[in-house]
C-alpha cells in the first residue's frame, strides 16, 4: 500500500481539479477513477460571488485527501506565504510546493524550491516538491526534510509524456526507497503506464484528463493504465534486444522447395 | 478609510480584518488573509488593524493542478 507522510492510499492516481468542463464532470472523474487525492489551489475570492465556497463544498463532499499547491508562485516568500494560507484554509499539512522559474516552461526554480522546502518543513509542513529529475536537487530536497518527490514528466500542460527517460530511471534507481510521483506533462494513459513500469509510485494528472473529450472516461483510463504499469513491473519484463528472435519455433518448419 | 482589497480599491468603515470581512460580505466564508504581503491568521484578524492604503489579500479554495 502506498504511504505518503503516514497516509495510506490504494489509488496511484492524483487528480488535478482545474479546467474541467463542469464541477459535475470533475466530481464524476474523481469517483470513477477512484482517485483518493486531489490538488487544489488558492485564489482571490469575491465577497459577492464566493465561488470558492461552492467549490470547497463539492470537494469536501468527495471525502478525498486534498493536496494544496502553490501554483503561480515565483519566489520563496510567495510560496511560503501561500503555503501558510493554504494550511489554514484546507486544514492539512500537505503541500504541493511549486516555485516556478519562468512562464514559458513553468520549470521549477529548484534553488528557491529547496530554500522554501527547508522553511516549510521546519514549520511542520509535509512537502511534496514539484521538481526536475536532477539528482543533486532531489538530494537537497530530501536533506531539507521532504519525504516525497514529484519530478516532472514534461512541462505542465504539454502532454508530452516522459521527456527524459534516462533521468527518471536514474532518479528511481538512486532514490529507491523514496515515494516518487510523476507530476506534470503526461498526455496519455500510456505515459502513466510507462511511469509505473519505470517504478514510479504514482502520477498526478490534470490537463490530460480535464481537457479530454470525455474526462470521466479518460480519468478511468489513467487509473487502469497505472495499475497495468505496476503489474507489468512486478511481472519482471523481458530485456529488449536489438536483433529479431522468432517466437514461433523454427524446428519442424516444413520445406516447400 | 480607503484600502486595497485583492487589487481593488474599497472604502471601508471598519478597521480590523475580522470586521472588514463582515462589511465586505464574506460572512463565514472559508478564506485566508494577508495584509501587505504578510499572512494574518484567523485568530489574529480581530487584532489586526488596517491603515489608509493598506493592501489586503483575501483568498479562497479554487481549482488547481
Amino acid at each position: 500500500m502506498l504511504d505518503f507522510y503516514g497516509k495510506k492510499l490504494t489509488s496511484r492516481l492524483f487528480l488535478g481539479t482545474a479546467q474541467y468542463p463542469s464541477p459535475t464532470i470533475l466530481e464524476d472523474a474523481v469517483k470513477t477513477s477512484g482517485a483518493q487525492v486531489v490538488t487544489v489551489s488558492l485564489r482571490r475570492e469575491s465577497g459577492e460571488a464566493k465561488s470558492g465556497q461552492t467549490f470547497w463544498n463539492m470537494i469536501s463532499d468527495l471525502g478525498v485527501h486534498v493536496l494544496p499547491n502553490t501554483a503561480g508562485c515565483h519566489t520563496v516568500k510567495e510560496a511560503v506565504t501561500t503555503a501558510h494560507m493554504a494550511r489554514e484554509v484546507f486544514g492539512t499539512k500537505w503541500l504541493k510546493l511549486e516555485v516556478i522559474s519562468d512562464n514559458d516552461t513553468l520549470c521549477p526554480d529548484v534553488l528557491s524550491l529547496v530554500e522554501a522546502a527547508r522553511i516549510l518543513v521546519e514549520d511542520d509542513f509535509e512537502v511534496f516538491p514539484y521538481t526536475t529529475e536532477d539528482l543533486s536537487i532531489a538530494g537537497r530536497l530530501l536533506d531539507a526534510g521532504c519525504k516525497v518527490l514529484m519530478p516532472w514528466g514534461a512541462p505542465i500542460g504539454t502532454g508530452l509524456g516522459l521527456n527524459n527517460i534516462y533521468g527518471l530511471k536514474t532518479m528511481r534507481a538512486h532514490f529507491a526507497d523514496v515515494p516518487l510521483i510523476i507530476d506534470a506533462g503526461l498526455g496519455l494513459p500510456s505515459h502513466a503506464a510507462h511511469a509505473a513500469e519505470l517504478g514510479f509510485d504514482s502520477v498526478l494528472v490534470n490537463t490530460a484528463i480535464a481537457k479530454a473529450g470525455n474526462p470521466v472516461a479518460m480519468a478511468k483510463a489513467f487509473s487502469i493504465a497505472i495499475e497495468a504499469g505496476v503489474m507489468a513491473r512486478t511481472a519482471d519484463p523481458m530485456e529488449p534486444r536489438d536483433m529479431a528472435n522468432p517466437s514461433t519455433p523454427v524446428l519442424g518448419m516444413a520445406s516447400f522447395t | 478609510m480607503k484600502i486595497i482589497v485583492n487589487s481593488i480599491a474599497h472604502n471601508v468603515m471598519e478597521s480590523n480584518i475580522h470586521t472588514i470581512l463582515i462589511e465586505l460580505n464574506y460572512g463565514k466564508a472559508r478564506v485566508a488573509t494577508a495584509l501587505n504581503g504578510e499572512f494574518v491568521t484567523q485568530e489574529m484578524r480581530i487584532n489586526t488593524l488596517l491603515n489608509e492604503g493598506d493592501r489586503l489579500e483575501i483568498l479562497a479554495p479554487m481549482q488547481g493542478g
Side-chain angles (χ1 to χ4, degrees):
Chain A
M1 185 175 287
L2 299 164
D3 185 327
F4 298 105
Y5 290 106
K7 289 193 173 86
K8 311 287 188 193
L9 302 176
T10 52
S11 170
R12 296 177 181 274
L13 178 63
F14 286 37
L15 271 190
T17 57
Q19 306 183 85
Y20 281 81
S22 73
T24 302
I25 292 174
L26 165 60
E27 191 175 355
D28 289 346
V30 175
K31 289 178 179 173
T32 303
S33 67
Q36 295 170 305
V37 178
V38 298
T39 54
V40 292
S41 192
L42 283 178
R43 287 294 181 265
R44 287 170 166 172
E45 178 82 317
S46 153
E48 305 305 323
K50 297 190 187 70
S51 57
Q53 310 308 303
T54 306
F55 170 69
W56 175 243
N57 290 337
M58 187 269 282
I59 294 295
S60 297
D61 289 344
L62 287 170
V64 294
H65 298 291
V66 293
L67 178 57
N69 69 27
T70 58
C73 292
H74 285 77
T75 66
V76 172
K77 177 175 170 45
E78 284 178 349
V80 169
T81 302
T82 301
H84 281 97
M85 298 175 84
R87 182 164 64 179
E88 182 178 85
V89 165
F90 295 110
T92 177
K93 293 195 287 187
W94 277 16
L95 182 81
K96 183 190 162 194
L97 180 61
E98 296 183 35
V99 187
I100 300 301
S101 64
D102 77 90
N103 287 329
D104 289 332
T105 63
L106 299 178
C107 179
D109 174 348
V110 292
L111 301 181
S112 296
L113 182 71
V114 171
E115 185 181 348
R118 184 171 292 113
I119 292 168
L120 291 168
V121 168
E122 285 177 3
D123 202 12
D124 203 28
F125 280 85
E126 294 172 342
V127 177
F128 295 64
Y130 165 62
T131 185
T132 66
E133 60 280 82
D134 186 295
L135 296 185
S136 60
I137 294 299
R140 299 291 176 99
L141 289 166
L142 296 172
D143 290 345
C146 297
K147 299 190 185 309
V148 178
L149 299 175
M150 301 184 83
W152 63 351
I156 295 170
T158 60
L160 292 171
L162 305 179
N163 256 2
N164 181 356
I165 302 294
Y166 168 78
L168 291 170
K169 285 172 73 172
T170 306
M171 186 180 204
R172 177 68 285 177
H174 200 76
F175 300 106
D177 298 326
V178 177
L180 299 179
I181 305 168
I182 293 290
D183 176 17
L186 302 189
L188 290 167
S190 55
H191 299 154
H194 194 183
E197 288 164 8
L198 293 177
F200 287 86
D201 298 281
S202 298
V203 301
L204 194 165
V205 186
N206 193 159
T207 308
I209 293 174
K211 304 301 277 185
N214 185 338
V216 178
M218 189 61 83
K220 182 69 175 177
F222 265 95
S223 174
I224 294 169
I226 300 165
E227 293 307 322
V230 170
M231 194 175 293
R233 180 175 174 81
T234 55
D236 191 16
M238 66 170 279
E239 286 295 324
R241 48 183 289 159
D242 291 330
M243 299 300 291
N245 184 36
S247 51
T248 302
V250 176
L251 190 66
M253 185 79 185
S255 174
F256 301 112
T257 57
Chain B
M1 174 174 61
K2 188 174 180 179
I3 63 171
I4 307 299
V5 179
N6 292 344
S7 292
I8 298 172
H10 285 263
N11 280 306
V12 295
M13 304 285 290
E14 302 293 343
S15 59
N16 71 64
I17 294 177
H18 174 75
T19 50
I20 285 173
L21 287 174
I22 295 170
E23 183 180 342
L24 297 179
N25 296 319
Y26 286 91
K28 294 183 178 178
R30 181 181 283 259
V31 295
T33 53
L35 180 61
N36 299 325
E38 302 297 330
F39 173 50
V40 179
T41 66
Q42 190 170 359
E43 293 74 24
M44 289 299 297
R45 287 176 196 163
I46 201 160
N47 296 318
T48 304
L49 303 178
L50 274 71
N51 296 307
E52 182 84 15
D54 276 350
R55 294 173 292 107
L56 181 62
E57 290 286 339
I58 305 173
L59 306 185
M62 195 59 59
Q63 295 85 350

